[in-house]
Amino acid sequence: MGFFGDFMSIMKKRAVVLQSMTKEADDVYTFSFEKPADYSWRAGQYALFSITHAKVKPGTKPFSLSSAPAENAIRITTRIGATPSEFKQALLSLKPGMTVRVSGAVGSFGLDKAEPALMIAGGIGITPFRAILKQMVAERIKATQPTQLLYLDSSEVYPFKEELETLAAQASVQLTTVESLDKLELERNAFVQQNKEKGRFLIAGPKPLVDSLASGLQQQGVAKSRMKKDAFFGYL
Ligand SMILES: Cc1cc2nc3c(=O)[nH]c(=O)nc-3n(C[C@H](O)[C@H](O)[C@H](O)COP(=O)(O)OP(=O)(O)OC[C@H]3O[C@@H](n4cnc5c(N)ncnc54)[C@H](O)[C@@H]3O)c2cc1C
């Protein structure tokens, strides 16, 4: 979409109505909002969500859309632990029929060419990849080049795992779950060896993890221009 498209999209703010809240795992929740008729996005993009029913600071945070455009609902999935921030307390207090404000979607995170691709999700960083796989299946797109989703979750909960297994099989994507950084690096190295020059590398998750994985790739000779990163701050 580019800078101008993103700018126009971020300037447009609209209220969206909560339909439901679903607990995906112990501390992982999906909030599903009605999609306005004129709202659109590309799988992998994120939007800015603002709390309007309570006074919280900061009242606006970015979230990747965990739903695919084909699902016709705007969904975000987030981790809410035992001591939630004011923002997440406000999210939890939403009831169906109440609204939040959305601006965007923006960003270039996504698979847009038939080229080898390694997608790396750290924990809750699975959200944009769930949308990407779901949209591939909705459009009956199968990867024609080696395409792998590496899903790291040290707690071995892997939100969306069963659904992802089905989607990955349908989209000809290799899904690999790993519970440690060591295992992730073994898988990553194997992919890099084969596809360093022609591969695309997408990384999403907590910022420290994304930064360290990206510098690891660079040390292995992967050009920065071959990487796309969604670094979630607020997570260690
Ligand atoms: C492009 C992009 C996409 C993103 N996509 C996602 C996504 O799909 N899912 C997602 O979950 N996040 C996503 N994020 C990150 C998201 O915007 C938040 O930063 C993140 O969810 C942490 O929010 P928080 O309110 O818990 O953070 P913070 O306010 O930074 O809080 C961090 C931690 O501090 C503690 N804390 C903070 N305030 C209080 C308080 N008042 N009382 C007690 N404890 C407190 C809590 O333990 C909390 O977990 C994305 C970020 C970017 C940039």
Side-chain angles (χ1 to χ4, degrees):
M1 192 192 275
F3 175 77
F4 183 71
D6 277 1
F7 178 76
M8 295 306 287
S9 172
I10 219 78
M11 294 306 288
K12 184 157 184 178
K13 298 181 171 60
R14 53 186 117 210
V16 289
V17 179
L18 182 78
Q19 293 172 313
S20 62
M21 179 180 82
T22 311
K23 201 169 182 177
E24 306 286 354
D26 241 7
D27 56 354
V28 178
Y29 297 80
T30 294
F31 297 84
S32 185
F33 301 91
E34 269 173 34
K35 186 187 91 63
D38 63 342
Y39 187 84
S40 64
W41 71 97
R42 278 180 291 110
Q45 286 191 304
Y46 68 94
L48 298 180
F49 288 79
S50 302
I51 299 293
T52 52
H53 68 288
K55 279 203 169 141
V56 300
K57 273 194 177 168
T60 301
K61 296 207 173 191
F63 290 92
S64 301
L65 301 178
S66 59
S67 51
E71 291 179 281
N72 215 27
I74 298 172
R75 292 201 194 108
I76 58 171
T77 304
T78 187
R79 202 171 276 284
I80 308 185
T83 55
S85 64
E86 285 183 16
F87 186 96
K88 290 196 176 166
Q89 289 175 39
L91 272 183
L92 277 180
S93 72
L94 284 169
K95 300 275 177 284
M98 292 169 72
T99 59
V100 298
R101 212 169 48 223
V102 178
S103 62
V106 293
S108 63
F109 203 80
L111 291 180
D112 32 37
K113 276 193 207 139
E115 55 191 351
L118 180 64
M119 304 180 268
I120 309 179
I124 197 66
I126 195 65
T127 49
F129 298 120
R130 186 214 167 260
I132 289 169
L133 259 58
K134 186 84 187 168
Q135 189 65 21
M136 284 177 78
V137 171
E139 292 181 21
R140 297 178 199 277
I141 295 172
K142 283 186 192 288
T144 53
Q145 300 284 325
T147 304
Q148 185 174 7
L149 171 58
L150 265 177
Y151 186 3
L152 168 69
D153 186 354
S154 54
S155 59
E156 296 183 63
V157 176
Y158 306 108
F160 299 122
K161 183 169 181 252
E162 279 179 18
E163 183 189 23
L164 289 169
E165 282 167 350
T166 308
L167 294 173
Q170 290 173 343
S172 301
V173 171
Q174 183 189 337
L175 171 67
T176 313
T177 55
V178 286
E179 72 287 359
S180 71
L181 211 45
D182 286 349
K183 286 193 181 160
L184 186 147
E185 282 172 358
L186 279 178
E187 292 286 337
R188 179 197 67 185
N189 294 350
F191 187 93
V192 170
Q193 271 173 17
Q194 302 284 320
N195 304 290
K196 192 188 327 195
E197 270 93 30
K198 52 186 187 307
R200 178 73 50 196
F201 297 81
L202 274 65
I203 320 169
K207 186 172 181 336
L209 178 72
V210 170
D211 288 347
S212 111
L213 290 172
S215 63
L217 284 172
Q218 258 184 285
Q219 279 162 20
Q220 290 178 306
V222 175
K224 263 189 177 176
S225 58
R226 299 235 134 248
M227 298 181 213
K228 288 184 182 176
K229 301 184 284 180
D230 261 0
F232 297 4
F233 39 84
Y235 290 111
L236 296 176

